[in-house]
Amino acid sequence: MNRNFKTLSLAFFALITNIVFALPPCEYKDVITPLHQPDHWAVSLLDVEYKLPADYVPTNLVALTEAGFNDERFVKQELIADLKQMNEDALALGHGIDIQSAYRSYAYQDSVFNYWVDKEGMDNALLTSARAGHSEHQLGTVLDFRSVDGPAPWDLEDWAETPAGKWMSENAWEYGFVMSYPKGKQEESCYSYEPWHYRYIGKEFAAQWKTMNDATGMTLREWLWTQKP
Ligand SMILES: [Zn+2]
C-alpha cells in the first residue's frame, strides 16, 4: 500500500478511535490488568489503575550481558537481539547507552516506592514512581537508560537533550522500544516526564504506535488502552 495513503488512513482511524474512545483519567485503583499472563508482555496495560498480580514473574529472564552490557541484572530474552543492535548502533555513532535500571520484582518495587514516599512525600512519589504491581519494570521488558559514563539520568535537567538521550528519543522505536512517559503528557501517561524509561513492545507494535503517535500524539498508555479487551 502507498505509504502516504496508509499514514492517512491510520490518521483517520486514530481520529475515529479518539472520538469513540475517551482515555480514562488517572485514577488510583488496584485492578488486575486483563492481559496479565507472561506471554501478554507486549500489550499488558499497566498504569495507576491497572496492575500485575504480586506473584507475576516474567518468563525467560536473562542477564544483560547477553546484549553486550557489563551488567548482571535481568531482562526478558525476547528483547535481547534488538537491545544488542540498538546498543551497537548507538556506540558506533559515538554516544553509547548504558543501563540504569532493569527488571524489578514486585517486592523490590514495593521498597523503591516506599523509599520515594519517605523521601519526597506521597503526592510526588505517585507522579515519579509506581506502586508495587503497577510498575512496567515488573514485566522484564523495561529499561531505564543513561549515557555511558554519564550520571543517573534523573540527575540531569533533561536526558533527552544529551546526544544519547536525543538519539534514543528519535530512534528507539525502530528497535521496538517506546518512551512510556513523554514530555508534556502527564495527564495522559499519569506520570511525570521520564526521558530514560523505555518499554519494549517489539518492532511491529512499536511501528504501529509510532504511526498513531505521529498522527495524533498518542502515548503508549493510550495505545495500550486500545489493545485491551
Ligand atoms: Zn523506569
Side-chain angles (χ1 to χ4, degrees), residues 22 40 47 68 70 85 93 107 115 168 191:
H40 294 144
D47 62 3
N70 184 19
Q85 189 63 56
L93 291 164
Y115 167 82
M168 286 282 295
Y191 291 100

Side-chain angles (χ1 to χ4, degrees), residues 137 144 194 197:
H137 284 275
D144 293 340
E194 294 198 357
H197 177 113

Side-chain angles (χ1 to χ4, degrees), residues 19-151:
I19 291 166
V20 177
F21 165 75
L23 182 71
C26 301
E27 287 187 274
Y28 294 89
K29 298 181 188 169
D30 280 307
V31 183
I32 298 294
T33 198
L35 299 172
H36 61 262
Q37 298 303 325
D39 61 349
H40 294 144
W41 55 268
V43 288
S44 299
L45 167 67
L46 297 175
D47 62 3
V48 295
E49 175 173 349
Y50 285 104
K51 62 182 281 190
L52 292 170
D55 63 358
Y56 179 103
V57 177
T59 50
N60 309 329
L61 286 176
V62 296
L64 280 159
T65 47
E66 303 270 321
F69 294 92
N70 184 19
D71 193 321
E72 297 291 338
R73 288 174 296 177
F74 295 101
V75 285
K76 266 177 90 62
Q77 190 273 329
E78 286 86 337
L79 60 79
I80 288 293
D82 287 333
L83 178 61
K84 188 166 187 281
Q85 189 63 56
M86 185 165 72
N87 184 28
E88 286 170 6
D89 292 352
L91 258 178
L93 291 164
H95 44 65
I97 50 174
D98 211 344
I99 309 295
Q100 183 72 27
S101 183
Y103 163 64
R104 300 207 288 254
S105 69
Y106 183 96
Y108 185 64
Q109 184 65 30
D110 201 36
S111 67
V112 167
F113 182 74
N114 289 327
Y115 167 82
W116 287 111
V117 173
D118 286 347
K119 196 165 186 242
E120 309 217 321
M122 181 60 88
D123 287 354
N124 214 31
L126 285 171
L127 283 180
T128 57
S129 181
R131 292 173 295 141
H134 295 266
S135 174
E136 293 188 319
H137 284 275
Q138 196 182 335
L139 292 168
T141 54
V142 170
L143 292 162
D144 293 340
F145 290 94
R146 62 181 165 84
S147 308
V148 164
D149 301 327

